[in-house]
Amino acid sequence: QKRLVESGGGLVQAGGSLSLSCAASELAINAYTLGWFRQAPGTQREFVATVSIAGGETYYADSVKGRFSFFRDNAKNTVYLQMNSLQPEDTALYFCARYRGGSYLSSTSYDYWGQGTQVTVSS
């Protein structure tokens, strides 16, 4: 059964760091483009970051550029989102998902979503 499972969320003070993991089953992360999205209560799902399988290009939302890093560990079939200098506006449920085509910025371009992991940043 194909599945993506996020973990690593939690409560952190502003300026702190967290590392999120997305473990994949029954799919190889090096065969697909994967992305990270986030969604706060009452808001639209927002693009965070992605890495393409062709060329390995990385893309980050302007709001996280310079603070977040997306990387793969093929041996563990897992992707990570390293989040530094966290701010209260980063508080959201974070998802990883598999890209299926279309604009990488749009959540409709992804399938096989994980269940999400909660990140809460206090001031």
Side-chain angles (χ1 to χ4, degrees), residues 33-80:
T33 294
L34 299 175
W36 286 94
F37 285 75
R38 66 187 183 184
Q39 187 169 22
T43 70
Q44 294 180 298
R45 193 162 296 184
E46 176 188 27
F47 170 78
V48 176
T50 190
V51 181
S52 68
I53 61 172
E57 297 93 346
T58 59
Y59 304 91
Y60 297 96
D62 288 342
S63 59
V64 307
K65 193 174 299 181
R67 300 188 297 121
F68 291 11
S69 298
F70 184 111
F71 61 96
R72 301 168 179 260
D73 187 336
N74 291 332
K76 296 181 179 179
N77 209 37
T78 300
V79 299
Y80 301 88

Side-chain angles (χ1 to χ4, degrees), residues 6-122:
E6 304 95 333
S7 62
L11 176 64
V12 64
Q13 292 184 350
S17 299
L18 285 172
S19 182
L20 306 184
S21 301
C22 177
S25 297
E26 300 298 325
L27 63 85
I29 61 168
N30 61 1
Y32 299 95
T33 294
L34 299 175
W36 286 94
F37 285 75
R38 66 187 183 184
Q39 187 169 22
T43 70
Q44 294 180 298
R45 193 162 296 184
E46 176 188 27
F47 170 78
V48 176
T50 190
V51 181
S52 68
I53 61 172
E57 297 93 346
T58 59
Y59 304 91
Y60 297 96
D62 288 342
S63 59
V64 307
K65 193 174 299 181
R67 300 188 297 121
F68 291 11
S69 298
F70 184 111
F71 61 96
R72 301 168 179 260
D73 187 336
N74 291 332
K76 296 181 179 179
N77 209 37
T78 300
V79 299
Y80 301 88
L81 185 68
Q82 178 64 45
M83 306 184 296
N84 299 320
S85 301
L86 285 163
Q87 301 299 314
E89 54 264 36
D90 297 315
T91 296
L93 187 65
Y94 283 72
F95 301 89
C96 66
R98 188 182 73 172
Y99 177 76
R100 63 172 176 84
S103 173
Y104 66 88
L105 299 173
S106 174
S107 62
T108 63
S109 300
Y110 297 77
D111 60 9
Y112 293 110
W113 292 81
Q115 83 287 350
T117 185
Q118 179 67 40
V119 172
T120 302
V121 185
S122 65

